[in-house]
Amino acid sequence: MQVSFLWERFKKGDAAAFETLYNNHIDELLRYGSRFTRDTTLIEDCIHDLFVRLYERRDSLNSPNSLKAYLLTSLRREILLNIKRQNVPQKDISQSEFILDIDIEQAIIRSELKQEQLEQVQQVLDSLSDRQREVIFLSFYNGLSNDEISQILGINNQSVRNLLSQGLKRMRSETQLPSLLLITTLSKFI
Amino acid sequence: MDQKKINELLEQEGFIQWLFTSSPESPWNSWYKQNLENRQLADKLRTELKSFPLKGDDAERVNKFLLRNRIAETIARSTSANRRGYLLKVTKWAAAAALVGIISVSALILNGRKLIVTPNGAQQAIVLPDGSKVKLNSGSSLAYNSFLWKLTPSVTLEGEGYFYGNHQKGFGVKTSIGKVKVLGTQFNVYSRNTKYRVECYQGKIQVGTSLLNKHEILEVGECFSADMQSKKVYRELLYSQITEPRWTSGEFYFEKARFEDVLNELERQFNIKFARKDSFKNLSYTGYFNTKDVNVALKMTLSPLGIGYKTSRNEIILTEKE
């Protein structure tokens, strides 16, 4: 309700609404963007372009069901196109890499987990496919629904569920860590 | 918190999903409503999962304030540029629309062009766009534009034509020699070679040619003629008993006419061809023929001047009588 009100105000050209949109979503966008590349300038440029385009096209935009999913989708497309243009050998968008690295040094300080355990988690994460990592990230970190994730990735709902459950199952079986620990660890240190 | 219980829960299918998505069709919803303990447990897990700080991302490395300003600047610049672009776009479309307009109007104008030609040996009646009529004599042509009629009602005539019927507003008749302005009337216009003649049968008409300094007004029963060769103009009276040109009923009267004109008229009316016309063209003829029978007509015109003729395949050869 509040979101759609904000959106309507933004569509009418309200600068304050636009600013609020930016402030509400910039952290999430930056975080999501940095999963694809370590090139901060590229991410900044993409976010810049995303918001500029959003503003320019506000008249013709429909109200998205999920604003967050809409913004993440747009950013994802923007970043992947740019990565492609930078001719990093990226065969196509579905094969783009998705970095999900635990900052182990920080994790040791903050959690009760031992370094070996953290490294084990990281190993499992590395063994997952990029898309599995992305689904886990979107689901766990951004708290997005399967529908929203399927919209962002451009795959159907069932595929999202499969990716997620396969990923989780594998992590549980290979790390032998309790799932909650696993999730909270991931959440804290990615 | 009971770690064991939590672990058990997390192992169960759909639980983690439900924690994050709270999807309403999940069976975990009823579990959630069962008791307070469940609710507290789930809520705690949810907040823990959703409110963690992230490490290793770029959120802290990027100056969000600067980025926001950069976006605002670009937008400010692009909106002013867009306005210019918008104007350009509008002008572009306007130009395109104008072009389409011009093309379709010219198409209508071109399409509105009408040309009626009456061949030799025939006469033809035409209805003009204002509902009035023209009878075209043999070997004549009439051109007008039905689309532009409302704007400039006028016809271009070569040859001879009799205009009659009800004119609504009047119109102009142009020929290569002169111009007639109709003020609501019946009149005949003859314009062939160097000869021009206008006869007024009803109403009033205004005549102009290059030989006149100003327009002549013709009233009923008046006739104006001009000869571009001798550069002379005449005003005469018509025979009072005729109410329309005689050619329309197939009768041709000549008074001191150059015989060349008579021969030409015969050629046109009967669709015939004379040979050796030049030997007789300067004779003067006063007389009459009608279009009922070509042989009678030839006799009536040729014999008074002592001219004989032989019919060959497609020509009539004129001869001096012995």
Side-chain angles (χ1 to χ4, degrees), chain A residues 19 27 48 141 164 190, chain B residues 17 52 55 64 68 74:
Chain A
E19 177 110 28
D27 287 339
H48 168 269
Y141 183 78
L164 195 58
I190 285 167
Chain B
Q17 288 279 323
F52 46 75
K55 191 62 199 125
K64 285 175 259 177
R68 197 216 61 182
T74 314

Side-chain angles (χ1 to χ4, degrees), chain B residues 7 14 27 30 44 85-86 114-115 130 179 184 198-199 232 266 277 292 294 298:
Chain B
N7 282 347
S30 48
K44 190 174 173 352
Y86 176 74
K114 300 278 187 293
L115 173 69
D130 68 352
K179 201 173 172 180
V198 181
E199 296 155 4
K232 277 180 182 157
L266 283 164
K277 252 195 316 195
K292 280 175 196 136
V294 61
L298 288 174

Side-chain angles (χ1 to χ4, degrees), chain A residues 18-19 22 26-27 30-31 34-35 37-38 40 43-45 47-48 51-52 55-56 103 106 110 137 139-141 143-146 161 164 168 172 178-180 183-184 187-190, chain B residues 1 3 6-7 10-12 16-17 19-21 45 48-50 52-79 82:
Chain A
F18 186 64
E19 177 110 28
Y22 176 84
I26 185 64
D27 287 339
L30 282 169
R31 239 168 244 139
S34 4
R35 302 297 125 223
T37 171
R38 289 270 169 240
T40 320
I43 297 165
E44 270 187 68
D45 287 348
I47 291 176
H48 168 269
F51 276 98
V52 169
Y55 186 83
E56 283 173 346
D103 188 330
Q106 286 290 320
R110 291 211 210 159
F137 175 82
S139 173
F140 283 51
Y141 183 78
L144 292 175
S145 72
N146 288 354
R161 249 177 283 163
L164 195 58
L168 285 176
R172 278 204 296 269
S179 297
L180 179 65
I183 294 162
T184 44
S187 308
K188 274 179 185 152
F189 304 113
I190 285 167
Chain B
M1 209 197 302
Q3 275 298 335
I6 289 171
N7 282 347
L10 290 170
E11 297 293 328
Q12 292 195 38
I16 298 166
Q17 288 279 323
L19 272 187
F20 283 108
T21 63
L45 285 171
E48 202 174 327
L49 293 177
K50 285 183 178 175
F52 46 75
L54 264 194
K55 191 62 199 125
D57 63 49
D58 288 293
E60 277 91 48
R61 281 194 272 149
V62 170
N63 188 329
K64 285 175 259 177
F65 184 71
L66 281 183
L67 179 57
R68 197 216 61 182
N69 284 352
R70 207 179 121 204
I71 291 168
E73 269 168 38
T74 314
I75 285 174
R77 239 181 299 127
S78 81
T79 30
N82 263 6

Side-chain angles (χ1 to χ4, degrees), chain B residues 159-173:
Chain B
E160 187 167 19
Y162 171 55
F163 296 83
Y164 61 106
N166 297 320
H167 314 293
Q168 281 165 350
K169 268 161 105 186
F171 55 88
V173 180

Side-chain angles (χ1 to χ4, degrees), chain A residues 61-75:
Chain A
L61 291 175
N62 295 321
S63 300
N65 290 330
S66 161
L67 185 54
K68 197 197 275 183
Y70 175 77
L71 291 174
L72 292 179
T73 311
S74 310
L75 180 66

Side-chain angles (χ1 to χ4, degrees), chain B residues 77-95:
Chain B
R77 239 181 299 127
S78 81
T79 30
S80 57
N82 263 6
R83 216 163 285 141
R84 249 175 289 135
Y86 176 74
L87 270 181
L88 188 71
K89 227 182 256 172
V90 166
T91 355
K92 246 193 248 167
W93 280 108

